[in-house]
Amino acid sequence: QGSVDCPNLEFEYGDADGHGAELAELYSYTEEPELSHNRRCFEEDFHTQVPDRRWLELDRAQQKAYVMHLLDGLEVVNRDKRLRVARAILYLAQGVFGDCDNEGDVLHWSRHNSFLLYQLGTFSAFLELLNMEIEGGGHPLGTQWPHTGLLCCPGRVLLSVMYLMVENIRVEQETDPPEWKTCRETFRMELSFPVHTEEPFALLLFTMVTKFCSGHAPHFPMKKVLLLLWKVLLFTLGGFEALQAMKVRRREELGLPPLPEDSIQVVRGMRAASPPTCAIELVEQQQQQQPQQQKRSHRSRRPLMKQDSLDIYNERDPFKNDEGGVDEEENDDVDGGMEGELELVERDALIPAMPAQRLPLERVSFPKGLPWAPKVRQKDIEHFLEASRNKFIGFTLGQDTETLIGLPRPIHESVKTLKQHKYVSISDVQIKNEEELEKCPMSLGEEEVQETPCEVLYRAMLYNLPQYMIALLKILLAAAPTSKAKTDSINILADVLPEEMPITVLQSMKLGIDVNRHKEIIVKSISALLLLLLKHFKLNHIYQFEYVSQHLVFANCIPLILKFFNQNIMSYITAKNSISVLDYPHCTVCDLPELTAESLEAGDNNQFCWRNLFSCINLLRILNKLTKWKHSRTMMLVVFKSAPILKRALKVKQAMMQLYVLKLLKIQTKYLGRQWRKSNMKTMSAIYQKVRHRMNDDWAYGNDIDARPWDFQAEECTLRANIEAFNSRRYDKPQDSEFAPVDNCLQSVLGQRLELPEDFHYSYELWLEREVFSQPIRWEELLRCQ
């Protein structure tokens, strides 16, 4: 099937998938026996405590009393009893499905029980147990797996309970009682601003990730850790809508004009474009159309066209014209690309001319006007005026953008237009403030830093942040479908592989689906949490964002994401790696049919896999964030030959995904050469239609690239110096003694008792000889200093 036949994907991007789907992804299909085991652990204990009653029949006081009884059971010495109690609590968090009739009831009771468990202190109790599990060793729940089998892995039980509590409490519903809303805010604060420990809960999970990657804890169930980490960040920092509201509020506080539009709303209103044709389709089309091309060969060589032909072409939607014609070349070395484009226009010109207003509606790609308001940076205005003054007057005035004396009238109009669309970002203000604080540290005094959840998290992550980023990318690489299985790579499948390997073809098929699904969920959680971190740190302070970005780039994040997209992306997005009858909560309340090869292959009826499309968009957004306004990183996209990889991703007819692909193509277009632009006019048109316009941006031509002496290494080094200065100024205060008061009193200085190392007592005479007596005193230099 050609790429043209790919249907429009009805996908709505958001913070996460539906509530049921997010809970279902916590469990692997190999964990299915554990659900009934949890139920047995609960029911055996419950019936001894509350005979002849069901959980749903108890009033709130009785439910509380029973939960308190379970929490007391976590204190017993016997390891088996403790694990059975933990499983009984997990069964409560899973929604007491043994008493429910349908999936809706299971989800309802899962939420109800999660709030109840939290209010009685269950999360804190499980946090203590998790800390002991991480430290390992003699703790009764510290059994390593897989050697002891699925049913004895305490880490999985602990993480499952915590995930269900976080996810159920995080999700808001209109029918929630007022005390649940209060409970939600209390829980958010508890996770964001730790009281008993010195670090937020997210940091503990980051530590688990690094321990897993370093080989110190290969038994950690990494999928559950990453899912919990993502949901904790989403809960404590806020999702995309919360980010937008914070951005609006921050701009008001800084006295900046309001945002021109809400980007998520604009993208939701966009329509997907038909993708460019790829090389294989071109060959087929050329074979089909050879007779017509021979007849029209004399026309295809014409270098010029009449203006009315161009007008007709411009009035129509070029993306609707998917029939025939050499539209684009996948290979950059082909010379005939532009002729194909000309022929396309010529063929259109043969259609009888119609007035523009009578064109059929489906041919119009956009209403009048572009989807985005154009933006101009202060630098753009300065560069424009500098070039204009050099041309007309012969000298420049530095950063002065007000004085227009001596410049022609059209330049005045241009400057006026540029200023109308000038956009000052929060980052610009933060960079300017940072420069002033570096210049005048004494006169400006202490900077007031708001104690936001984001600030607390950054401060906690700061010193181990490079290790966290490397660990996340290692796991992402291991989970990518394009990765080859290596013996020395980390084992991310430890918590999905069963104790006994499959012996039948059917079991092998089921395990294969489970393994692929497991990897997809890992990619989804890592891509989502990295994007959240980047967006929140950028809003909190630009240099926090740059610090994370730089370490991602140093850890080869750019080629890793390109490697991920260097696959059949349509196959990845339409993958059916799920067995819907085995998904939670369906498998808990419905009788499972006997699985056959046909039922395994059937999967669901969706036209795409939500999590895979979500992951792809997240990775493209991360790549955009890493490369935007960075020439050195843009050149990495060019060097790694990303253009054909990204063009193939345009086959996915989903507006948001196409937008971020086109943005990545736009920033490197000027470096790809004239031949590439000639061969890819359809992609160029798509960029013009869908991506925001930056006035004075030479993206489509790249006239004087060779004349620009960019030192890419210097660019990264300067950025790194600025980041280090920021981190040192704000977070290294105890060590930074440059502006600390000096004790000038000789008596007090000599009277201070200094702790000297033991070995100094044995070697101080040698030290004195070497450092003092044998060194000549340069009296001239000493006098000159005074």
Side-chain angles (χ1 to χ4, degrees), residues 729-745:
R729 182 188 62 74
R730 192 183 270 196
Y731 303 107
D732 290 352
K733 284 171 187 171
Q735 291 83 5
D736 188 8
S737 58
E738 191 180 346
F739 301 110
V742 178
D743 188 352
N744 291 318
C745 177

Side-chain angles (χ1 to χ4, degrees), residues 398-629:
Q399 295 180 336
D400 182 348
T401 58
E402 302 303 320
T403 310
L404 302 176
I405 296 166
L407 295 174
R409 192 76 205 157
I411 300 294
H412 287 235
E413 293 296 324
S414 300
V415 172
K416 183 182 173 185
T417 306
L418 287 174
K419 284 183 176 177
Q420 277 175 352
H421 294 97
K422 179 179 163 185
Y423 177 76
V424 180
S425 67
I426 295 169
S427 302
D428 295 336
V429 176
Q430 289 169 342
I431 290 170
K432 195 174 177 184
N433 289 346
E434 199 58 34
E435 286 171 0
E436 288 173 3
L437 283 164
E438 283 292 322
K439 279 182 196 170
C440 321
M442 302 295 284
S443 57
L444 290 175
E446 284 285 326
E447 179 194 17
E448 282 188 29
V449 181
Q450 285 184 318
E451 198 73 348
T452 60
C454 192
E455 182 64 31
V456 171
L457 180 65
Y458 181 79
R459 197 165 55 236
M461 288 177 67
L462 179 61
Y463 295 107
N464 291 316
L465 196 138
Q467 287 88 335
Y468 299 147
M469 295 303 115
I470 289 167
L472 286 171
L473 293 183
K474 268 187 181 178
I475 300 170
L476 184 62
L477 175 63
T482 49
S483 293
K484 303 287 183 286
K486 291 181 183 173
T487 51
D488 59 338
S489 64
I490 49 176
N491 180 16
I492 55 169
L493 303 177
D495 55 327
V496 72
L497 296 176
E499 188 82 342
E500 295 178 4
M501 292 309 284
I503 51 172
T504 67
V505 174
L506 196 64
Q507 287 174 335
S508 298
M509 285 177 68
K510 180 183 166 186
L511 183 61
I513 290 171
D514 208 2
V515 165
N516 288 337
R517 175 177 177 269
H518 184 82
K519 287 182 173 182
E520 289 171 4
I521 294 166
I522 287 176
V523 172
K524 171 188 174 181
S525 51
I526 292 178
S527 66
L529 75 88
L530 280 177
L531 181 61
L532 268 180
L533 281 177
L534 288 172
K535 287 187 79 66
H536 276 282
F537 284 152
K538 188 172 185 184
L539 185 58
N540 200 51
H541 199 288
I542 181 64
Y543 284 137
Q544 294 176 351
F545 161 80
E546 295 291 8
Y547 188 52
V548 177
S549 298
Q550 201 160 57
H551 280 293
L552 284 172
V553 172
F554 292 162
N556 280 335
C557 185
I558 292 174
L560 170 55
I561 294 177
L562 292 174
K563 178 184 170 73
F564 179 88
F565 279 96
N566 195 17
Q567 60 170 312
N568 185 337
I569 210 71
M570 274 307 299
S571 296
Y572 185 70
I573 279 168
T574 55
K576 303 286 184 190
N577 288 315
S578 59
I579 308 166
S580 50
V581 291
L582 296 181
D583 280 338
Y584 170 91
H586 183 276
C587 65
T588 61
V589 289
C590 299
D591 294 328
L592 298 183
E594 190 173 344
L595 291 177
T596 61
E598 290 74 24
S599 64
L600 287 179
E601 287 175 346
D604 52 34
N605 297 319
N606 296 331
Q607 60 175 170
F608 58 89
C609 174
W610 197 96
R611 67 172 162 266
N612 288 356
L613 188 45
F614 177 71
S615 302
C616 288
I617 292 174
N618 288 340
L619 290 170
L620 287 168
R621 294 184 77 183
I622 291 166
L623 200 50
N624 268 288
K625 291 210 163 296
L626 296 181
T627 51
K628 191 176 181 182
W629 305 121

Side-chain angles (χ1 to χ4, degrees), residues 276-278 328-332 558 562 565-566 620 623 634-651 661-662 664-673 676-677 680 683-684 687:
T277 323
C278 71
E328 304 209 37
E329 298 290 351
E330 192 71 23
N331 189 346
D332 296 351
I558 292 174
L562 292 174
F565 279 96
N566 195 17
L620 287 168
L623 200 50
T634 305
M635 285 308 295
M636 285 177 78
L637 292 177
V638 179
V639 168
F640 289 120
K641 295 185 167 53
S642 67
I645 295 170
L646 292 168
K647 265 185 65 183
R648 281 199 297 276
L650 285 175
K651 288 187 176 191
V661 171
L662 292 170
L664 287 165
L665 285 168
K666 177 183 176 179
I667 60 173
Q668 56 177 314
T669 300
K670 62 173 79 173
Y671 305 109
L672 295 174
W676 188 91
R677 295 195 291 273
N680 291 276
T683 307
M684 301 287 282
I687 293 170

Side-chain angles (χ1 to χ4, degrees), residues 365-384:
S365 62
F366 262 114
K368 282 189 178 179
L370 295 161
W372 306 98
K375 282 183 181 177
V376 179
R377 295 184 300 166
Q378 177 69 17
K379 277 183 188 174
D380 298 331
I381 301 175
E382 289 169 10
H383 290 162
F384 175 74

Side-chain angles (χ1 to χ4, degrees), residues 141-202:
L141 286 186
T143 312
Q144 288 199 349
W145 106 280
H147 313 295
T148 51
L150 282 173
L151 301 179
C152 295
C153 178
R156 289 166 56 149
V157 177
L158 301 177
L159 289 163
S160 295
V161 172
M162 296 168 102
Y163 177 85
L164 288 167
M165 288 174 71
V166 168
E167 181 63 3
N168 279 319
I169 295 173
R170 179 188 74 83
V171 174
E172 297 181 43
Q173 290 183 4
E174 291 178 5
T175 54
D176 289 353
E179 62 265 23
W180 281 16
K181 293 180 181 175
T182 313
C183 188
R184 181 178 296 116
E185 283 312 305
T186 311
F187 193 23
R188 194 200 307 268
M189 296 297 282
E190 185 183 317
L191 291 173
S192 307
F193 305 103
V195 181
H196 304 298
T197 57
E198 294 181 6
E199 54 196 31
F201 176 54

Side-chain angles (χ1 to χ4, degrees), residues 708-767:
R708 298 178 192 174
W710 280 321
D711 186 347
F712 299 132
Q713 202 170 359
E715 187 180 57
E716 289 289 353
C717 287
T718 306
L719 179 60
R720 191 171 190 176
N722 291 339
I723 295 165
E724 284 176 357
F726 164 77
N727 284 334
S728 174
R729 182 188 62 74
R730 192 183 270 196
Y731 303 107
D732 290 352
K733 284 171 187 171
Q735 291 83 5
D736 188 8
S737 58
E738 191 180 346
F739 301 110
V742 178
D743 188 352
N744 291 318
C745 177
L746 188 64
Q747 248 182 332
S748 67
V749 170
L750 292 176
Q752 285 177 6
R753 186 168 182 80
L754 291 175
E755 292 293 328
L756 297 169
E758 283 184 27
D759 57 344
F760 183 78
H761 295 289
Y762 302 110
S763 59
Y764 77 96
E765 291 178 347
L766 187 66
W767 180 85

